[in-house]
């Protein structure tokens, strides 16, 4: 079964990497979008985003490098929920990405 939200996530990451890549170092503004803007974008794209809520509680061993963390659900696609994080700079985002890679590399947390 295809999971369209994964395609959206990969597309967003590809766009971010493309904006940061290249021979020249480009400056990326991390204040361009906020969580509400992204949630509104998901809704305007036709996704039924429900139960959105701000949750800043940091589970153990998770880097608290994000500015905001919102949890939400998308009916029929991600009923168990998803999360949306915003970061103030590249270093904070990279520490979160390193955490995710460690989780993927571990067969018990994959």
């Amino acid at each position: 079964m295809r999971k369209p939200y994964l395609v959206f996530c990969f597309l967003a990451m590809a766009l971010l990497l493309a904006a940061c890549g290249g021979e020249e170092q480009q400056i990326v503004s991390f204040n361009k979008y906020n969580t509400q803007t992204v949630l509104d974008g998901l809704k305007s794209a036709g996704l039924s985003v429900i139960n959105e809520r701000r949750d800043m509680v940091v589970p153990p061993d998770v880097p608290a490098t994000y500015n905001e963390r919102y949890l939400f659900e998308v009916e029929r696609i991600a009923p168990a929920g998803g999360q949306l994080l915003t970061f103030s700079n590249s270093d904070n985002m990279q520490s979160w990405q390193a955490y995710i890679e460690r989780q993927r590399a571990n067969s018990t947390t994959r």
Side-chain angles (χ1 to χ4, degrees), residues 28-45:
V28 177
S29 172
F30 280 82
N31 296 324
K32 187 172 183 178
Y33 301 104
N34 61 35
T35 51
Q36 193 58 54
T37 304
V38 176
L39 288 170
D40 290 344
L42 293 173
K43 291 174 186 176
S44 69

Side-chain angles (χ1 to χ4, degrees), residues 29-85:
S29 172
F30 280 82
N31 296 324
K32 187 172 183 178
Y33 301 104
N34 61 35
T35 51
Q36 193 58 54
T37 304
V38 176
L39 288 170
D40 290 344
L42 293 173
K43 291 174 186 176
S44 69
L47 296 175
S48 57
V49 176
I50 59 171
N51 298 329
E52 56 194 85
R53 60 212 175 272
R54 187 171 194 249
D55 184 354
M56 297 299 288
V57 176
V58 180
D61 300 325
V62 175
T65 59
Y66 45 82
N67 291 341
E68 290 185 304
R69 177 176 177 246
Y70 273 77
L71 304 178
F72 63 94
E73 299 170 30
V74 178
E75 295 177 310
R76 298 181 6 215
I77 297 174
Q83 65 179 335
L84 177 62
L85 306 166

